[in-house]
Amino acid sequence: MPQDETVPLKRPKERHDHAILKFPEGFLWGTATSAHQVEGNNINNDWWEWEQTHQPPHLQSQAACDQYNRYDQDFELAKELNHNAHRLSIEWSRIEPKEGKFDAAEIEHYRKVLKALKDRGITVMLTLWHFTLPKWVADKGGWENGKTPEYFERFVKRIVPEISDYVDLWVTLNEPGVYIYETYIEKIWPHSKKSLLGQIKTFLNLTSAHKRVYKYLHSIFPAGKPVGIANNILSFESYHKHSIVEQIAVCLNDMFANHLFYLFTRGTHDFLGINYYFHVRFKSQGLVAKREDTPKQTHDISDLGWEIYPEGIFEVLTDLSDHIPIYITECGIASTNDDRRNRFLISYLQEISRAIKSGVNVRGFFYWSLIDNFEWHLGFEPRFGLIEVDYTNLERRIRPSALVYTDIIQNNGIPHSLLRFIGHTVQAEEVLEKRQKEIGKEIDKKRIAKTGS
Ligand code: FCB
């Protein structure tokens, strides 16, 4: 074609992903906590005892967030923020402080706590064991003792009939793998020691405890109330895709850390509860593959140095996808930088939405955590809360990221106004600020209507 007849190419139209990222109908949106981390004064458990002897005062749980007394206020905030679900745990050592002696007042307390959630129309996911043991159980060897699954089952059989009206989903155990890792490998938690045998016994006793309780819960609720565990699932990756050494490391670690408990408890899960926090990359050094240090990686990190890697949640979801439903039972960031938490929420939920689109049956998301709380051996410094706790007076303050989460909940999806903050468009508008003000005003209005001031 002669030069002068060239038709100039039209400027292409800009493309933007304007559609809202919708989540499935009936999706559960909530947060997660655990008793010892928020209640305060759990004086009858092994963690409390260990804190007194092994930790300086600022790393002891003490009054924690005093949620034992302030649960109503906290649940009211969750309600105001539009959460439709909440995951929490009950403290075995309060209910059975001495072997076989159950405390009626504490049972009544938990009835009230759970009722307070149900009265607000919040779906309740209840964890029956979240890391702490009554002292008397620990004194008998804790989870290394072959009798502990029986003790646990006895406790469950005593408490469940009292509270079952207020519970919708049961989590038997929280993160058995993390418990074993911190106790026997890192050796930084109560009862820490080097013992392969102790490790194996603990693993097997935890699987047995889960199976017993699963069977019992199914015998009393044949028609519903799903049962599962909350498992810490890591995203493993190789540095070089072609390195067989790295691929083997990925495969073995995935098998041991992510799948082993499920393999040993096959057929006793109505859902998979996934706690997602970590991404690990293996790099070969000769014939071995080593974990790459997080700071060497290119992603941002949280205040705890944990890599922010949203793609990882897509990877673990697809790795574990089969036909049973999945709940993200924990996922959160320790950060005093709330902009970072906003970005975290939007980008992780975007990856979850991608997983759902690719066929993974995800039914709910529980951000860790509703309020700042006691982060085990690390004390109170890590700030995971959508709501800040001022530890000088225990006052609660809603963080802006809580309102971003509310925006997502109200839309049952991520609106474009939020997606643009992680780069879905390049135009900068004050949309987020406007929306936050609107939600803030709605909440204030409600409060004024209730309190008159
Ligand atoms: C998980 C625990 C939870 C909390 C978060 C940050 O591994 O289940 O209690 O400590 O980490």
Side-chain angles (χ1 to χ4, degrees), residues 143-197:
W143 284 113
E144 284 188 27
N145 180 352
K147 296 280 270 178
T148 299
E150 272 173 48
Y151 301 144
F152 183 57
E153 187 185 4
R154 181 178 63 190
F155 151 68
V156 170
K157 285 184 167 165
R158 176 70 183 83
I159 188 70
V160 165
E162 307 271 1
I163 56 174
S164 62
D165 285 351
Y166 310 122
V167 178
D168 303 288
L169 300 116
W170 303 96
V171 170
T172 56
L173 306 172
N174 182 68
E175 298 186 344
V178 169
Y179 181 77
I180 291 171
Y181 182 79
E182 301 288 20
T183 309
Y184 295 97
I185 296 168
E186 287 287 318
K187 299 197 274 300
I188 48 178
W189 277 11
H191 328 298
S192 285
K193 60 174 125 117
K194 197 175 159 134
S195 164
L196 183 60
L197 186 63

Side-chain angles (χ1 to χ4, degrees), residues 193-211:
K193 60 174 125 117
K194 197 175 159 134
S195 164
L196 183 60
L197 186 63
Q199 198 174 321
I200 295 170
K201 280 186 186 164
T202 298
F203 176 81
L204 293 175
N205 289 331
L206 283 163
T207 61
S208 152
H210 167 74
K211 285 191 277 190

Side-chain angles (χ1 to χ4, degrees), residues 100-112:
K101 302 264 174 294
F102 292 87
D103 186 325
E106 294 290 3
I107 293 175
E108 189 46 33
H109 169 79
Y110 282 116
R111 283 173 58 84
K112 282 195 199 137

